[in-house]
Amino acid sequence: MLCLAESKKVVVVGIPGVGKTTLINKIVEIIKNHDKSVEVTNFGTIMFEVAKENGVTNRDELRKLPILEQKKIQKIAAEKLSNIKADVIIIDTHAFIRTPEGFNPGLPYHVLQIIEPTNFISVVAKTEEIYNRRMKDETRNRDKVSISTIKKELDIQSAMMSACSVLSGSPLKHVLNSEGKLEEAASQIIKAIGL
């Protein structure tokens, strides 16, 4: 039986190809089976909705906006997100955004202060699995990458999420989402967030 004293705000990050969306869908199913309300919010989608008001027409254009503009959009999106009410709020996002200037934090300090997350989940997978999943994904306009680039992205994600955990005082759990082990990964997350 799930017992929550307060609402959980769970930030789930993962580089493209780790299977984050599939894993989140499984977590939602488990939470709903225990009669708890759960809301999944994709931070990038909220940012895109805000950016569309300023002429952005494609979600993949967000990462090419000037950093100052991205920060403004992140702040507005975080404020919208902070008003969501549910027993468990899952914030689906990325630890960083690859921009022309470099790796821009997906969860900078000003966003963490607004969101006030209770938990961080960093989803990872084997580099070869990530590479293969990306090569099959034709739904997005992604940059071409190599195995070494994926390894670097996983390292950057780990570093950025460690910083988020320290800055917010909220625990961080790294979860390996291997092919065919979805139930195991979901179970680790449910346990980590105290449900």
Side-chain angles (χ1 to χ4, degrees):
M1 170 95 184
L2 298 177
C3 180
L4 299 177
E6 62 181 44
S7 176
K8 296 278 186 178
K9 291 183 183 174
V10 183
V11 173
V12 181
V13 301
I15 66 172
V18 296
K20 179 177 50 127
T21 303
T22 304
L23 186 54
I24 287 173
N25 291 339
K26 186 64 178 174
I27 296 164
V28 168
E29 178 186 315
I30 293 168
I31 294 169
K32 285 183 176 179
N33 285 340
H34 287 89
D35 296 325
K36 294 294 175 188
S37 62
V38 59
E39 185 75 34
V40 177
T41 304
N42 186 294
F43 196 66
T45 300
I46 296 173
M47 285 184 63
F48 181 48
E49 289 168 5
V50 172
K52 280 198 293 191
E53 296 170 10
N54 296 311
V56 174
T57 58
N58 180 310
R59 183 174 165 157
D60 290 306
E61 290 176 30
L62 280 173
R63 62 189 162 95
K64 295 176 182 169
L65 292 173
I67 296 296
L68 188 57
E69 187 65 25
Q70 288 186 42
K71 285 182 180 182
K72 288 177 189 175
I73 293 170
Q74 282 176 324
K75 181 178 184 292
I76 295 167
E79 288 166 349
K80 288 181 180 226
L81 194 148
S82 70
N83 293 319
I84 296 171
K85 304 292 181 217
D87 292 325
V88 180
I89 301 157
I90 297 174
I91 303 160
D92 176 353
T93 193
H94 295 285
F96 64 87
I97 299 94
R98 186 185 290 267
T99 71
E101 291 88 350
F103 296 102
N104 190 29
L107 296 160
Y109 185 58
H110 70 276
V111 169
L112 293 174
Q113 289 177 302
I114 296 167
I115 295 174
E116 297 180 326
T118 58
N119 301 81
F120 293 101
I121 305 296
S122 177
V123 182
V124 298
K126 294 176 184 170
T127 53
E128 294 79 12
E129 289 178 5
I130 294 169
Y131 180 82
N132 291 334
R133 290 172 185 167
R134 285 191 189 182
M135 292 302 103
K136 293 176 188 172
D137 183 4
E138 297 177 1
T139 64
R140 297 286 301 274
N141 181 20
R142 300 195 193 280
D143 296 331
K144 298 294 180 199
V145 296
S146 64
I147 295 288
S148 63
T149 301
I150 291 170
K151 287 179 182 175
K152 182 178 182 178
E153 289 177 358
L154 288 170
D155 289 344
I156 292 167
Q157 175 176 292
S158 180
M160 290 216 180
M161 294 317 298
S162 294
C164 287
S165 179
V166 170
L167 289 172
S168 68
S170 298
L172 166 62
K173 175 77 173 173
H174 293 279
V175 175
L176 179 64
N177 187 26
S178 297
E179 284 293 330
K181 305 258 183 166
L182 181 66
E183 298 275 347
E184 183 180 314
S187 178
Q188 287 180 43
I189 293 170
I190 293 293
K191 185 177 179 182
I193 62 178
L195 302 180

